[in-house]
Amino acid sequence: MELLLAAGIGILTAVGLYLVFRAHTFPVILGLTFLSYAVNLFLFAMGRLAIDRPPVIVPDAAAYTDPLPQALVLTAIVISFGMTALIVVLALRGFLETGSDSSHLDAPRGGKGDAS
Amino acid sequence: MTLLLVVLVPFFGALLPPLVIRSGRNTCAMATGAVTLLALALLMSHAPAVFLGEVPKAEIPWVPAIGLSFSVFADGLGFFFAAMILTIGLLVIIYARYYLSREDPMGRFFTYLLLFQGAMVGVVLSDNVIALLVFWEMTSLTSFLLIGFWRKRADARQGARMALVVTGGGGLALIAGLLLVAEAAGSYQLSEILVRGDIVRASPLYLPALLLVLLGAFTKSAQFPFHFWLPHAMAAPTPVSAYLHSATMVKAGVFLLARLWPVLAGTDVWFLIVAPVGLATMLIGAVIALFKDDLKALLAFSTVSHLGLMTMLLGFGTPMAAVAAVFHIVNHATFKAALFMSAGIVDHETGTRDIRRLGGLVWLMPVTGTLALLASASMAGVPLFNGFLSKEMMLEEAAHTAYLGLDFLFPVLATVAALFSVAYSARFAIGTFLGKARHDYPHQPHDPPVGMWLPVAVLVVPVIAIGILPGVVAGPLVALTAGAVIGGPLPEYHLALWHGITPALVMSLAAFAGAALLLLGFGRADALRLRLPRPDAKAMFETASAGLVVASRRAVAAVHDGSLPRYAGVILATLVAVGGYGFWSATHAAGTRPLLPVSLPAATAFLALLLASGMVLLRHGDRLTALILTGVVGVIVALAFLQFSAPDLALTQISVDVVTTILMLLALNLLPKTTPPEESRAVRWRDGLLAGLAGLGVAALAYGVMTRDGTSISDYYLAESKPGGGGTNVVNVILVDFRGYDTFAEIIVLGIAALAIYALLDPALKGAAVRRIKAMLPHEEAMDAHPLLLVMATRVLLPLSLVVGTYIFLRGHNEPGGGFIAGLVVAIALIMQYIASGYGWAAERMRVDAQSYIGAGVAIAGLTGVAAFLFGRPFLTSTFGYLTWPVVGKFEVASAMAFDLGVFLTVVGVMVLSLAQLSRVARRIDPAPHNPEPMDVRLEPAASRAREG
């Protein structure tokens, strides 16, 4: 199980980073979403894995999983929505103003974006 | 403690001038003077103790363990300098009241002046090295403000910038130097460092520390070759020149040399560097001063020369020379400040400072003229004035000094410097005040108001008093100060007018005779000078700084080419390299924690993740597909949370995923639908390799951690959740109670993000943006924009969703749920109304706009926190109790629930605002097909038939 999750985190990270390197904003945004998934899972995994041990206090529970990473990740998920939304809007506004959705901001080669 | 106040009073007092300037210029100057007087009185309350040989100290510890504390001490040297700074400061304030014109913003001027004063007093009284450095930098900054006070004048701005670059740059060197000294001495307290001179001099850090400290001191005190900034700083108002550039700030470098004299001086290196630098500065300054026609420029170079004199004396490294240096500091402060003020009066009265257009002023303004003549006699070193005494001592010391076996070098060059200083003093005095009275001045000059010449008179009194009775007037002060500089027993010396026929007297007489000859042949000397090449320091400085600007611009342009992928690549490559190094230099074995068995659903989910990610990777050019696949990945992540005992996370993830996908769909509506392939295969492989390596690293790290046991602080949360927070859902209790502060900050961040989205999109609807959107919109309205089924379904689902949201919210404290998740659920229900029935229809029915939700949410959360104050508890302290409601039964009410309500409202507002704004962009451009009806299919006929039937 641990190996599967670790591999999953690795895949999400790699795909996210690859997309972040693209020359257009939309893949970059998707890449950031992937990276958010990866980082949230990674943080969560720092609490170690446990099955059927939710951190809800019940009288006869044997043990609980670590609640702290969960609390941190919960807000991280919501915050990453705020971040994604802001970046989406920035990219949109940039596209509407310039007609290009290149992520090479002011590089000379950035001009050849898809103004079409 | 009063000693700390001496430093702090000017800083607090700096608030006063701009406040009281409305009551008039006199009140403003008086308030400023009162601040300085208060600081001076506080300092003087320590005078008896200081003269008895005690060293008053005061301290506010900050982080004493790493040597950080705000500590001051007033030994003889610090006390003398502080007294000088405050006394001359007082005189300068009086003088400036009359000097500044009505147009000058006096409040600002006095604020700068007091800030400078506080910084300067801080430099001389600091015990802690770090505090000294901070104050040192503050003197550079405040002097920048003061030199550039007349900001409309280009020369003032350039002079200010040059001074800041040179002294600030030196300050950076000084930071390094003093830290090395502190490191070598093993203490950050100067009073400790001063008694550990032997340790520091024996340390291998001594040489670099010395060089860096000297760089700081030489730049500040305008020593050759850094002397060029001081004359350009004369673009400052004259009170500033008199205060900063004669009496105080430029002496900071000399002060530092004196302060660290017991630690750094006495070695060959010290003598070989400091003494010749001082000598060269003294000579060059004096020569240039002679040929300056501007009174202030002449005085500026004379100051450079005198600073060189003090530096040279300290550089000799002998106790006797140190006594002479201290004595000259006292004398120079009095006569040079008086002369600067006189030059200001001349400028003020005649409208010119050009020595060629002046003359005979003593007949037109007798009081000022007399005072200035007395002070310039002291500057020339005429007997019966204080300048004579310290100059004699300097010549006496120089006469005995041999440099690298050359025993004539110092005596001869010191005499030549003395010769030039007599000559320029005479030229200043004769050219300005003596000779026939002229009547071709722009204004008819006469003596200024008493407030302007009184400070000069106050300074001229000690010039004469010390000159005639040195032992009585200055003896105790010099002994006190010199004792502190030397840090040991004083040498045998005698402050007196007549020492008999000594080498110094002969050198002095030679200087006078030579100066007379030089002045007689001044015309020829000037012509000779004009034929020699003269380096223009300002032009050189400007060229150098322009070159630096060009070079740094090129460097920045080369590194920052505006390509975000490239920046990300550089950052990631660095991370991979550092991480890779860490990986190879440590053990690679996985941990021994027992692993969980792999289940079939988990393996299936992993394969789905692999598939979806791989397709996104390969097919991201088709944006819609990539977006939907990203949503699929989000669902798998939510399932992973569910599997590993995190129901709250799963709920949050799935609802955020819905909102994010809708948001991106809305944006995609206005963006190109495909990404054109443009990178070459090599670029893609390179990126893929880098990303793959990083992914491997993260996976290995995650695996490494998950297979090892660790300790967690969560046991506390688990134990305290119920008894302390009143809830059994520990995650929720952490969010709204234990770490409520974090959550509070987070909802504020969310709110700011949403408002930024609003601000970014609201004005986006002009010019080119509008044309682009219009070109992109479909020309024909879709046939079935608001399908009946969807409209009806969402309408029915809305109240249900609201009930579910309330339920999730209420149970959140004890079961999975809470404000975040409830907010997301309700937001999705509301957004569905927009999607199904159209923006116009839904927006009309939103009674409260989304911004108000955000505002109310943050306010409620904040007020819940503040409410704890009413019970005398810290911010966000929670409380809870139990109520019995009819039907529902026993029910827990926690104050955290109100906090969670704030979270809930903020989340709803943020989600609705972001998405509604995005959907509005397209609508605002093309408002024609507004849908007043909730759906496209007309229902009226059927409804009317129903009524009929």
Side-chain angles (χ1 to χ4, degrees):
Chain A
M1 254 347 189
E2 276 83 356
L3 191 61
L4 278 189
L5 187 67
I9 294 172
I11 291 168
L12 291 172
T13 311
V15 173
L17 287 171
Y18 179 79
L19 292 176
V20 165
F21 291 145
R22 296 309 91 203
H24 292 272
T25 50
F26 198 78
V28 171
I29 293 166
L30 289 186
L32 288 172
T33 311
F34 268 80
L35 275 183
S36 303
Y37 292 152
V39 170
N40 288 341
L41 277 177
F42 183 86
L43 279 180
F44 172 69
M46 292 304 102
R48 312 305 190 277
L49 302 186
I51 294 177
D52 288 336
R53 292 194 171 155
V56 176
I57 307 289
V58 282
D60 50 352
Y64 303 102
T65 187
D66 194 338
L68 190 58
Q70 294 198 15
L72 298 180
V73 171
L74 198 153
T75 50
I77 294 173
V78 182
I79 288 276
S80 54
F81 165 79
M83 184 197 74
T84 309
L86 189 61
I87 291 178
V88 165
V89 168
L90 269 175
L92 178 62
R93 177 86 194 267
F95 171 69
L96 291 180
E97 295 292 335
T98 63
S100 153
D101 69 341
S102 166
S103 59
H104 299 290
L105 288 183
D106 43 5
R109 61 200 157 113
K112 65 178 177 186
D114 50 347
S116 52
Chain B
M1 235 32 197
T2 52
L3 202 58
L4 282 170
L5 285 178
V6 177
V7 180
L8 295 177
V9 160
F11 284 114
F12 290 122
L15 296 171
L16 219 52
L19 293 178
V20 298
I21 186 67
R22 287 174 191 284
S23 325
R25 290 145 57 83
N26 278 330
T27 323
C28 186
M30 269 158 70
T32 314
V35 170
T36 307
L37 202 59
L38 176 62
L40 187 61
L42 289 169
L43 179 73
M44 283 306 155
S45 69
H46 294 281
V50 174
F51 275 96
L52 283 175
E54 294 169 28
V55 178
K57 288 185 182 189
E59 179 172 21
I60 300 176
W62 182 26
V63 192
I66 53 169
L68 290 179
S69 68
F70 177 33
S71 54
V72 292
F73 76 128
D75 68 343
L77 182 66
F79 176 81
F80 159 66
F81 262 91
M84 183 175 86
I85 291 159
L86 292 170
T87 313
I88 296 185
L90 198 58
L91 298 176
V92 165
I93 289 164
I94 300 169
Y95 178 81
R97 155 65 189 88
Y98 296 96
Y99 178 87
L100 291 180
S101 75
R102 233 162 241 296
E103 289 77 49
D104 294 324
M106 189 184 266
R108 206 174 79 207
F109 180 83
F110 280 134
T111 296
Y112 293 167
L113 200 73
L114 283 176
L115 286 177
F116 168 77
Q117 193 177 68
M120 200 62 217
V121 173
V123 166
V124 299
L125 289 184
S126 283
D127 191 357
N128 186 278
V129 169
I130 311 275
L132 187 149
L133 289 168
V134 171
F135 286 123
W136 183 279
E137 291 296 314
M138 282 167 74
T139 63
S140 292
L141 290 176
T142 47
S143 80
F144 170 79
L145 294 172
L146 283 167
I147 297 169
F149 179 69
W150 284 322
R151 9 177 123 152
K152 292 201 181 105
R153 284 174 38 182
D155 62 332
R157 295 197 301 272
Q158 288 160 359
R161 202 176 56 198
M162 193 190 280
L164 185 67
V165 168
V166 176
T167 61
L172 293 180
L174 183 68
I175 290 176
L178 278 186
L179 291 182
L180 287 181
V181 169
E183 203 55 40
S187 169
Y188 281 85
Q189 297 298 108
L190 269 173
S191 45
E192 281 292 312
I193 295 172
L194 288 181
V195 296
R196 297 187 192 171
D198 294 335
I199 303 173
V200 176
R201 282 191 296 272
S203 157
L205 295 177
Y206 171 72
L207 189 62
L210 175 68
L211 293 178
L212 290 165
V213 168
L214 289 182
L215 200 55
F218 287 170
T219 49
K220 197 79 161 182
S221 280
Q223 295 300 297
F224 178 82
F226 307 110
H227 61 287
F228 57 88
W229 71 265
L230 183 56
H232 291 289
M234 293 298 149
T238 299
V240 175
S241 309
Y243 194 31
L244 273 67
H245 305 129
S246 77
T248 56
M249 190 184 83
V250 291
K251 295 230 172 75
V254 176
F255 165 82
L256 195 73
L257 295 181
R259 175 84 289 169
L260 296 174
W261 196 87
V263 185
L264 299 178
T267 61
D268 288 343
V269 191
W270 170 276
F271 172 70
L272 290 177
I273 297 176
V274 181
V277 165
L279 179 69
T281 311
M282 176 165 78
L283 189 59
I284 292 169
V287 173
I288 299 177
L290 177 62
F291 297 105
K292 284 291 166 191
D293 293 322
D294 180 5
L295 291 185
K296 274 176 78 176
L298 188 154
L299 291 175
F301 278 105
S302 150
T303 305
V304 170
S305 170
H306 281 275
L307 291 167
L309 188 160
M310 300 165 201
T311 305
M312 181 185 79
L313 283 172
L314 290 168
F316 285 162
T318 60
M320 194 58 210
V323 173
V326 167
F327 192 30
H328 195 69
I329 291 172
V330 178
N331 296 337
H332 180 254
T334 52
F335 69 71
K336 189 51 69 64
L339 283 173
F340 264 113
M341 290 185 190
S342 309
I345 293 174
V346 169
D347 187 14
H348 201 261
E349 293 297 322
T350 65
T352 178
R353 295 198 311 246
D354 190 331
I355 206 162
R356 287 164 302 184
R357 299 185 51 200
L358 294 164
L361 278 179
V362 75
W363 316 117
L364 297 172
M365 30 206 293
V367 179
T368 315
T370 312
L371 292 171
L373 285 175
L374 293 172
S376 36
S378 180
M379 178 163 75
V382 175
L384 296 181
F385 297 97
N386 60 359
F388 168 75
L389 300 165
S390 43
K391 190 186 73 178
E392 289 296 281
M393 288 168 82
M394 179 276 286
L395 290 172
E396 187 69 38
E397 290 307 304
H400 306 142
T401 303
Y403 187 76
L404 296 175
L406 304 172
D407 49 5
F408 62 90
L409 187 72
F410 271 83
V412 171
L413 291 183
T415 312
V416 174
L419 184 158
F420 273 93
S421 89
V422 173
Y424 70 68
S425 304
R427 182 156 181 259
F428 175 85
I430 298 168
T432 313
F433 296 103
L434 298 180
K436 248 174 60 176
R438 295 167 67 150
H439 295 283
D440 55 346
Y441 293 116
H443 313 295
Q444 179 60 27
H446 43 76
D447 268 318
V450 63
M452 250 175 129
W453 62 256
L454 188 69
V456 185
V458 171
L459 287 167
V460 169
V461 169
V463 166
I464 301 171
I466 298 175
I468 296 172
L469 293 168
V472 178
V473 180
L477 190 63
V478 170
L480 176 73
T481 314
V485 173
I486 296 165
L490 283 172
E492 274 291 317
Y493 70 94
H494 190 53
L495 299 182
L497 206 48
W498 180 250
H499 292 284
I501 308 288
T502 56
L505 191 64
V506 177
M507 288 154 83
S508 208
L509 290 175
F512 275 109
L517 289 175
L518 182 60
L519 279 180
L520 286 176
F522 180 75
R524 244 172 288 163
D526 203 27
L528 177 68
R529 178 189 66 101
L530 288 173
R531 254 180 285 144
L532 294 174
R534 281 159 295 146
D536 181 359
K538 187 173 177 185
M540 279 153 60
F541 177 82
E542 296 291 336
T543 315
S545 54
L548 274 176
V549 168
V550 170
S552 53
R553 225 175 246 154
R554 280 205 195 121
V556 168
V559 181
H560 289 194
D561 65 350
S563 162
L564 292 185
R566 189 173 153 181
Y567 299 167
V570 170
I571 294 172
L572 189 70
T574 314
L575 279 175
V576 167
V578 172
Y581 174 76
F583 183 72
W584 288 120
S585 52
T587 170
H588 306 157
T592 52
R593 194 171 189 270
L595 300 184
L596 295 171
V598 177
S599 64
L600 183 63
T604 318
F606 177 76
L607 282 179
L609 176 82
L610 194 62
L611 203 64
S613 307
M615 279 187 64
V616 171
L617 192 68
L618 299 174
R619 301 287 309 279
H620 67 83
D622 179 358
R623 294 180 169 185
L624 190 60
T625 312
L627 175 55
I628 291 167
L629 286 170
T630 308
V632 170
V633 172
V635 173
I636 300 172
V637 171
L639 289 175
F641 286 138
L642 193 61
Q643 167 77 51
F644 300 117
S645 315
D648 285 285
L649 290 190
L651 279 169
T652 314
Q653 178 68 54
I654 198 99
S655 21
V656 165
D657 224 38
V658 171
V659 185
T660 311
T661 308
I662 299 173
L663 176 101
M664 298 235 237
L665 281 169
L666 282 171
L668 196 53
N669 189 29
L670 299 174
L671 283 168
K673 308 294 178 285
T674 55
T675 308
E678 69 174 270
E679 292 103 341
S680 66
R681 184 179 292 266
V683 169
R684 278 178 298 179
W685 273 104
R686 185 200 63 194
D687 293 351
L689 186 71
L690 197 55
L693 278 175
L696 264 181
V698 172
L701 182 60
Y703 188 70
V705 175
M706 281 189 283
T707 52
R708 284 170 171 80
D709 278 312
T711 54
S712 167
I713 55 171
S714 295
D715 291 340
Y716 169 80
Y717 295 131
L718 287 165
E720 286 297 313
S721 177
K722 184 72 180 158
T728 53
N729 180 4
V730 186
V731 173
N732 183 271
V733 175
I734 290 177
L735 283 177
V736 300
D737 195 335
F738 293 130
R739 304 187 62 86
Y741 241 129
D742 288 5
T743 311
F744 186 52
E746 268 151 4
I747 61 173
I748 291 174
V749 171
L750 265 186
I752 292 172
L755 294 181
I757 289 168
Y758 182 78
L760 274 170
L761 287 181
D762 218 38
L765 308 162
K766 292 191 203 91
V770 174
R771 283 196 304 281
R772 269 192 201 98
I773 295 175
K774 278 198 173 144
M776 212 179 306
L777 286 177
H779 294 293
E780 287 171 35
E781 188 76 354
M783 281 307 290
D784 202 8
H786 304 292
L788 174 67
L789 266 177
L790 186 62
V791 172
M792 293 315 291
T794 53
R795 202 80 52 85
V796 173
L797 276 177
L798 178 63
L800 284 176
S801 312
L802 292 180
V803 169
V804 170
T806 316
Y807 171 69
I808 290 180
F809 174 79
L810 286 177
R811 72 176 212 153
H813 216 44
N814 291 315
E815 298 287 326
F820 276 113
I821 299 164
L824 286 164
V825 168
V826 169
I828 291 171
L830 292 174
I831 291 163
M832 286 309 287
Q833 304 303 312
Y834 283 87
I835 294 176
S837 307
Y839 178 85
W841 185 87
E844 267 171 29
R845 279 153 187 82
M846 279 289 280
R847 307 255 176 229
V848 184
D849 58 8
Q851 294 95 303
S852 310
Y853 278 98
I854 300 175
V858 173
I860 289 174
L863 285 175
T864 315
V866 173
F869 289 145
L870 296 180
F871 304 96
R873 307 295 297 276
F875 187 65
L876 279 174
T877 310
S878 70
T879 179
F880 62 94
Y882 295 91
L883 285 180
T884 307
W885 282 2
V887 186
V888 184
K890 187 179 165 192
F891 197 84
E892 184 211 311
V893 181
S895 70
M897 193 173 268
F899 183 78
D900 217 10
L901 179 66
V903 173
F904 167 81
L905 287 175
T906 312
V907 171
V908 172
V910 167
M911 302 290 155
V912 173
L913 182 65
S914 330
L915 273 73
Q917 276 297 312
L918 259 176
S919 51
R920 211 176 69 144
V921 171
R923 214 191 91 79
R924 279 268 295 274
I925 299 298
D926 189 16
H930 177 70
N931 53 327
E933 297 297 325
M935 50 200 110
D936 300 332
V937 183
R938 303 269 162 211
L939 294 177
E940 283 85 3
S944 52
R945 264 200 304 279
R947 273 199 299 277
E948 284 162 11

